[in-house]
Amino acid sequence: MNKKKVELLAPAGDLERLIVAAEYGADAVYFGENRFGLRSGVGFTLEDIRKGIQYLHDRGKKAYITVNIIPHNDDFKGLSDYVAFLGDNGADGIILSDPGVLSVVKEVAPDVDVHLSTQANAVNLRSILFWYRQGIKRIVIARELSLAEISYISQNIPDDLEIEAFVHGAMCISYSGRCLLSMYMTGRDANKGECAHPCRWEYALYEAKRPGEYFPIEEDERGTYILNSKDLCMIQYIPQMIDAGINSFKIEGRNKSSYYVATVVGAYRKALDEYYKKPEAYEFKEQWLDELKKASYREFTTGFYLGKPYESQNYKTSSYIRNYDFVGMVLDYNEKTGLATIEQRNRVFKGDKVEIIGPYRDYFEQVIEEMYDEEGNTIDVAPHPQQLFKIKVKNRVKPYDMLRRKKV
């Protein structure tokens, strides 16, 4: 068993999501500017990164910055200045996959810890010890390893080398994300953060001598999604993950919404806190899994952790399962009036039954019986994106609490 408590590591695609991750219980957040990370659509500016690092440090949490592209020569332009900026602003770790990038970090910011990205495909002890000798402080283990393999590795590495592993989120059909399918089919390079996700598309079998005839690979008139993986979910196996020697539980999803981050981080936080209260008496609670299913998800899989994933593909659809709508975020609460100021995220009506969630507590339900605009006028609907409105709430709320509504 790990002597230190396992770190809960959350993704963030912009400053709001970073704050949400921290507020809902993440011990650390990984994020970065889009030039050198594998999510081209993230919204961090250099100033946002500076603010994000400071926000996390003020709360005793850590900031890990993604610099994990597989770079060509031109991709090194501006890298030294960026790494120097990260070092000057107190980044706790830089996540990378390329030896060339590692050399830049060692030259420019030698005091910043370096984490090896899952993109480097570290699947064996010898490779991991090689990277350790190059100055790597943490290995983001490849997704293709079982708990037994990870346990063997953790028992045979130096005490100051940490293991980080994904516990939740989207899975990739290729080896830990090293994929050329997107580049081949769309010209968008997945290894530079521009994946078009062709693994999620619908496919059919085509025979060259029968032009125009497409044969479904499964018994489905629309074809089949033969490359489409289910989402990883290991919340039911927290003791086994800890016993395997994993130091950091990583949640995938830098392109996911603030609501997704809040829901998933909150569920894992509750499970981990319950475990550490009394590990020998720990029992999994089905409500944690139910909570995860209130965020958008594909069907769940345990990936490679329990053995070869023979049932990890969803051949019928690549669509997400969405049972709830995120309808608003709390900005402010007036103790005297009981009115909460909400920023709308989806159309919401007077009379709607909503669940209100917040960090470190269970959600509560209520019907929206009173609804006002910013001037205090009674309204029946908040139809405009990010519209501010007020509602009467039956329990105390605080900023970054969220409203969700079950789909009918």
Side-chain angles (χ1 to χ4, degrees):
M1 183 188 299
N2 294 330
K3 294 180 181 179
K4 293 195 303 181
K5 285 188 176 182
V6 166
E7 173 186 85
L8 182 58
L9 176 57
D14 59 24
L15 195 55
E16 179 186 276
R17 282 173 272 183
L18 179 148
I19 294 170
V20 166
E23 292 298 317
Y24 278 76
D27 300 304
V29 182
Y30 66 100
F31 58 101
E33 200 236 29
N34 61 17
R35 286 180 298 167
F36 305 108
L38 283 178
R39 291 294 182 273
S40 61
V42 299
F44 277 93
T45 64
L46 293 180
E47 180 61 15
D48 286 339
I49 291 174
R50 185 192 66 75
K51 289 179 180 177
I53 293 172
Q54 188 63 54
Y55 185 91
L56 293 170
H57 286 178
D58 287 347
R59 288 153 182 80
K61 300 172 187 291
K62 293 186 177 181
Y64 305 140
I65 311 300
T66 53
V67 191
N68 58 339
I69 62 168
I70 299 174
H72 291 239
N73 291 325
D74 288 344
D75 296 314
F76 283 89
K77 293 176 182 177
L79 179 60
S80 292
D81 290 340
Y82 181 55
V83 170
F85 167 85
L86 298 178
D88 292 342
N89 283 276
D92 297 289
I94 292 176
I95 306 168
L96 55 80
S97 60
D98 179 76
V101 175
L102 175 61
S103 70
V104 173
V105 175
K106 290 300 180 184
E107 291 169 7
V108 177
D111 295 329
V112 179
D113 284 353
V114 183
H115 300 179
L116 187 71
S117 170
T118 191
Q119 293 289 120
N121 309 137
V123 295
N124 64 76
L125 178 62
R126 283 184 173 270
S127 292
I128 288 167
L129 293 176
F130 165 82
W131 284 110
Y132 175 73
R133 291 191 293 270
Q134 313 313 309
I136 297 294
K137 296 295 185 182
R138 177 183 288 190
I139 302 292
V140 187
I141 208 80
R143 289 179 173 92
E144 293 75 26
L145 293 182
S146 68
L147 286 174
E149 291 175 292
I150 295 171
S151 181
Y152 171 78
I153 289 168
S154 70
Q155 292 171 26
N156 289 281
I157 57 175
D159 291 339
D160 61 342
L161 179 59
E162 296 183 337
I163 297 293
E164 176 180 308
F166 283 94
V167 294
H168 196 91
M171 294 280 284
C172 184
I173 191 65
S174 295
Y175 232 98
S176 285
R178 286 213 173 196
C179 183
L180 293 175
L181 193 59
S182 179
M183 174 64 83
Y184 177 76
M185 300 187 77
T186 70
R188 290 168 53 180
D189 191 346
N191 298 309
K192 293 185 181 179
E194 297 179 346
C195 185
H197 303 287
C199 56
R200 310 290 182 192
W201 298 352
E202 180 181 337
Y203 291 92
L205 183 65
Y206 168 70
E207 201 279 314
K209 294 183 179 180
R210 293 180 173 87
E213 293 186 38
Y214 297 89
F215 305 96
I217 300 171
E218 292 289 318
E219 294 297 327
D220 182 342
E221 69 277 5
R222 295 175 299 144
T224 185
Y225 299 85
I226 58 173
L227 305 178
N228 178 51
S229 177
K230 298 177 183 178
D231 281 357
L232 179 67
C233 178
M234 291 298 290
I235 199 165
Q236 293 170 278
Y237 298 93
I238 281 176
Q240 294 91 326
M241 299 281 285
I242 293 174
D243 289 345
I246 296 167
N247 305 102
S248 179
F249 285 6
K250 187 171 193 172
I251 297 167
E252 184 275 339
R254 278 191 288 149
N255 282 341
K256 299 292 179 66
S257 69
S258 295
Y259 170 67
Y260 178 92
V261 172
T263 304
V264 176
V265 170
Y268 277 89
R269 179 76 276 156
K270 289 173 184 174
L272 279 169
D273 287 351
E274 190 70 20
Y275 172 85
Y276 281 113
K277 284 180 183 177
K278 202 170 184 180
E280 65 277 9
Y282 171 81
E283 291 184 6
F284 171 74
K285 294 181 180 179
E286 199 69 30
Q287 68 194 56
W288 301 329
L289 183 59
D290 292 341
E291 185 69 12
L292 291 174
K293 291 179 180 179
K294 292 182 178 181
S296 62
Y297 71 102
R298 299 181 181 92
E299 291 181 46
F300 289 141
T301 176
T302 56
F304 288 79
Y305 283 121
L306 306 183
K308 296 296 183 182
Y310 295 112
E311 297 181 357
S312 66
Q313 304 302 108
N314 185 342
Y315 300 115
K316 296 179 180 179
T317 178
S318 63
S319 298
Y320 283 100
I321 300 169
R322 291 183 173 92
N323 296 321
Y324 282 76
D325 287 324
F326 172 32
V327 296
M329 181 181 289
V330 175
L331 300 184
D332 194 18
Y333 173 68
N334 188 310
E335 293 274 5
K336 293 182 179 179
T337 64
L339 290 174
T341 302
I342 312 295
E343 183 180 82
Q344 187 256 42
R345 296 302 173 90
N346 271 296
R347 183 185 295 254
V348 58
F349 296 84
K350 181 179 177 180
D352 279 350
K353 184 177 181 180
V354 296
E355 295 178 359
I356 301 180
I357 67 171
Y360 299 99
R361 62 169 170 78
D362 293 332
Y363 69 86
F364 65 90
E365 296 180 339
Q366 76 163 69
V367 175
I368 299 176
E369 296 177 342
E370 300 179 32
M371 197 171 186
Y372 308 94
D373 64 17
E374 290 184 84
E375 287 71 42
N377 301 309
T378 300
I379 57 175
D380 294 324
V381 59
H384 306 300
Q386 296 186 298
Q387 175 181 350
L388 299 186
F389 64 98
K390 296 182 180 182
I391 64 169
K392 190 94 166 184
V393 290
K394 66 181 186 181
N395 294 330
R396 187 180 184 278
V397 295
K398 62 181 182 178
Y400 298 105
D401 284 3
M402 297 184 186
L403 282 67
R404 65 190 178 202
R405 178 184 57 216
K406 188 172 184 177
K407 286 179 176 288
V408 179

